[in-house]
Amino acid sequence: MINERVPIKEQEPLVRAKNFDEVCLGYNDEEAALEASRCLNCKNPRCVTGCPVNINIPGFITRLKENDIEGAYEVLSLSSSLPAVCGRVCPQETQCESKCIRGIKSDAVAIGKLERYVADKAREKGIKPHKLCPDNGHKVAIVGSGPAGLTCAGDLAKLGYDVTIFEALHEAGGVLTYGIPEFRLPKDTVVRSEIENVRSLGVKIETDVVVGRSVTVDELIESEGFEAVFIGSGAGLPMFMKIPGENAKGVFSANEYLTRNNLMKAFRDDYDTPILKTGKTVVVGGGNVAMDAARTALRLGSEVTVVYRRSEKELPARAEEVHHAKEEGIRFELLTNPVEILMDDDKCVRAIKCIRMELGEPDASGRRRPVAVEGSEFEIETDSVIMALGTSPNPLIAKTTEGLETNQKKCIVVTEESGKTTKEGVYAGGDAVTGAATVILAMGAGKKAAQGIHEYLSGNS
């Protein structure tokens, strides 16, 4: 049994920096079998406790060892409606893999890469998830077709519920479709396939329906015959710094920039949805969205600098994404904070004025608070600025739903771990409740809500 994990093949940095093809190429059959052989099949699998959707990790890897792809996929799909997505974008290094016993003295098992392998092989073989229970006649509405909504819908459909998802945009998938770039999460081969798997369970998806405008949550319950509603509408309202010059031409929110590129295909010459292509771009922020925006701008031809007010140790983005960004030639200005966006006579961005920072005492997040260094201002010449500072939920749904409480951050208040809200029969989860977080945490919330709704409609709550 080998100690080190089997290396994963990737596109060369200088090649991939000029295309939108997937960076990670995945394991082949031999590599997957060798990596699977490293799993100890622990009697007390700590990796499972590190997974927000509690996948039976030793179970699916054991079947993979037996070359039983259908059995491995069946184990995965019992817990996850989106295994091909999770295998690509989940932060396994801080979740399941961080708990792996093999990781104490050697490399943890590459659980995420094996999950991706099984899901991809299942897709190639046409293997689909299946229902666990017959139809029960109960109708449930899901608001939003992102990871929380798809997970909740998939789990409820497996239990026999008549589920309809209402999506505001013209294409389903939420952040999986509009937020995460093609080079991390291919839309045709992965996202749309996962959505079709949810549909294959009987889930209906209605697009171009803005809940709160086209129909309200109250109307879904009172007029449309839905007995429960799950709100998984995400957090799509971008935040800005409120510094001078943010209204300049060439300043984008990361949300707009990524949506125009991913959903509206602005990077393709055969699509009539161009985005500003510039010589230099500054991305403000240090999370996964900032890395996505920076690497997208690079592929559109920009020279890219990431500006972040803390040190590399505090960068919230996945280490893999930071590593890939550096390999591709993106420059990092750390311990740096913008104070003004400078414009030319045409109100276009010409530079961003920054100040150096140093780390002081920890703040409420537990990270050391950045403090400005007096007299350290400097300018970075740039043609565009992308603000990747986080997002908050759109308040529309809460404003148009009687009895649905929100907190000061406009997030929906839940009163139980199941996602039960202050309104009878209405559950919520994902970014609409927590603010911007990860795909897998949203899926975990959708899973808990599905169980809560099942207990509610079964009379067991």
Side-chain angles (χ1 to χ4, degrees):
M1 184 180 290
I2 59 174
N3 286 326
E4 294 77 23
R5 71 167 62 192
V6 177
I8 197 87
K9 292 185 178 68
E10 297 176 344
Q11 284 195 73
E12 290 296 324
L14 295 182
V15 174
R16 70 186 190 231
K18 296 180 181 179
N19 67 57
F20 279 85
D21 297 335
E22 191 168 13
V23 169
C24 180
L25 304 178
Y27 283 141
N28 61 28
D29 295 348
E30 293 76 18
E31 291 164 341
L34 184 58
E35 183 61 26
S37 72
R38 299 182 61 239
C39 178
L40 300 174
N41 196 23
C42 304
K43 291 183 179 179
N44 179 26
R46 301 192 310 171
C47 55
V48 176
T49 65
C51 174
V53 295
N54 298 119
I55 290 172
N56 178 0
I57 293 166
F60 96 79
I61 294 180
T62 295
R63 285 159 181 78
L64 178 54
K65 290 178 184 178
E66 299 165 351
N67 198 30
D68 179 8
I69 297 298
E70 186 167 359
Y73 181 74
E74 185 174 342
V75 173
L76 279 176
S77 61
L78 284 173
S79 300
S80 174
S81 294
L82 307 169
V85 169
C86 289
R88 286 170 165 83
V89 304
C90 285
Q92 292 97 3
E93 66 275 9
T94 60
Q95 295 179 160
C96 55
E97 292 178 12
S98 72
K99 307 286 187 182
C100 178
I101 293 295
R102 292 302 304 266
I104 296 175
K105 294 185 178 180
S106 60
D107 291 341
V109 174
I111 296 167
K113 300 296 189 277
L114 293 177
E115 180 181 15
R116 166 188 167 152
Y117 170 81
V118 169
D120 286 356
K121 294 295 285 188
R123 181 180 67 249
E124 292 169 11
K125 293 174 178 288
I127 300 169
K128 299 282 187 181
H130 55 78
K131 287 192 171 189
L132 306 175
C133 304
D135 294 347
N136 58 33
H138 291 293
K139 287 180 64 177
V140 179
I142 309 288
V143 181
S145 64
L150 289 170
T151 297
C152 188
D155 280 15
L156 286 170
K158 290 171 189 173
L159 294 170
Y161 289 88
D162 179 357
V163 183
T164 302
I165 297 175
F166 297 97
E167 167 58 45
L169 296 178
H170 64 277
E171 190 168 341
V175 70
L176 307 177
T177 296
Y178 68 74
I180 303 175
E182 290 273 347
F183 54 81
R184 280 217 295 142
L185 189 62
K187 309 311 169 204
D188 287 335
T189 54
V190 177
V191 177
R192 292 190 183 98
S193 175
E194 299 275 70
I195 292 170
E196 286 309 310
N197 283 345
V198 172
R199 275 198 172 106
S200 74
L201 295 167
V203 174
K204 297 178 284 293
I205 302 178
E206 294 189 21
T207 56
D208 298 309
V209 179
V210 180
V211 174
R213 286 285 184 266
S214 309
V215 65
T216 65
V217 170
D218 293 335
E219 288 169 344
L220 289 173
I221 296 171
E222 296 165 9
S223 305
E224 302 293 333
F226 290 100
E227 299 166 76
V229 176
F230 172 72
I231 300 172
S233 49
L237 198 61
M239 297 178 183
F240 288 89
M241 294 188 70
K242 299 178 182 176
I243 59 176
E246 272 188 315
N247 61 340
K249 298 173 186 176
V251 178
F252 299 89
S253 71
N255 253 33
E256 177 192 355
Y257 194 85
L258 291 170
T259 298
R260 287 175 63 177
N261 196 70
N262 299 332
L263 181 66
M264 303 170 72
K265 302 293 185 279
F267 67 93
R268 286 176 52 171
D269 293 334
D270 57 335
Y271 271 68
D272 196 22
T273 52
I275 197 167
L276 179 67
K277 296 183 181 181
T278 64
K280 294 181 180 180
T281 298
V282 169
V283 177
V284 181
N288 288 324
V289 174
M291 297 306 112
D292 286 344
R295 296 173 69 198
T296 295
L298 180 77
R299 284 158 172 78
L300 290 174
S302 278
E303 178 184 314
V304 183
T305 301
V306 171
V307 171
Y308 179 61
R309 63 183 185 152
R310 289 184 167 95
S311 72
E312 184 164 353
K313 181 180 178 181
E314 287 81 27
L315 275 170
R318 290 185 70 185
E320 181 179 67
E321 302 308 319
V322 176
H323 172 68
H324 282 161
K326 287 182 175 181
E327 277 191 327
E328 291 165 7
I330 290 170
R331 178 170 162 250
F332 283 74
E333 280 282 359
L334 302 173
L335 289 169
T336 301
N337 203 37
V339 293
E340 184 178 0
I341 296 169
L342 306 175
M343 296 178 272
D344 61 20
D345 293 339
D346 295 321
K347 305 297 184 183
C348 295
V349 174
R350 69 168 180 84
I352 185 167
K353 185 177 180 181
C354 301
I355 190 168
R356 297 294 184 189
M357 310 294 284
E358 58 185 12
L359 296 180
E361 295 301 313
D363 60 16
S365 71
R367 296 177 297 173
R368 293 174 66 190
R369 184 189 302 276
V371 180
V373 178
E374 288 188 26
S376 64
E377 292 88 349
F378 68 104
E379 295 179 9
I380 302 173
E381 289 186 11
T382 187
D383 306 298
S384 65
V385 175
I386 302 172
M387 293 293 185
L389 305 169
T391 54
S392 60
N394 189 316
L396 176 63
I397 293 174
K399 283 182 178 179
T400 57
T401 304
E402 188 72 30
L404 189 66
E405 290 184 13
T406 58
N407 61 23
Q408 289 182 331
K409 295 182 178 180
K410 308 299 182 186
C411 296
I412 297 171
V413 172
V414 297
T415 59
E416 296 178 7
E417 191 177 0
S418 66
K420 185 177 182 180
T421 70
T422 53
K423 184 176 178 66
E424 180 73 16
V426 176
Y427 292 71
D431 293 2
V433 170
T434 61
T438 62
V439 166
I440 190 63
L441 290 177
M443 290 178 62
K447 192 171 189 65
K448 289 175 183 175
Q451 186 59 37
I453 290 170
H454 176 54
E455 291 176 359
Y456 170 71
L457 295 179
S458 301
N460 297 324
S461 60

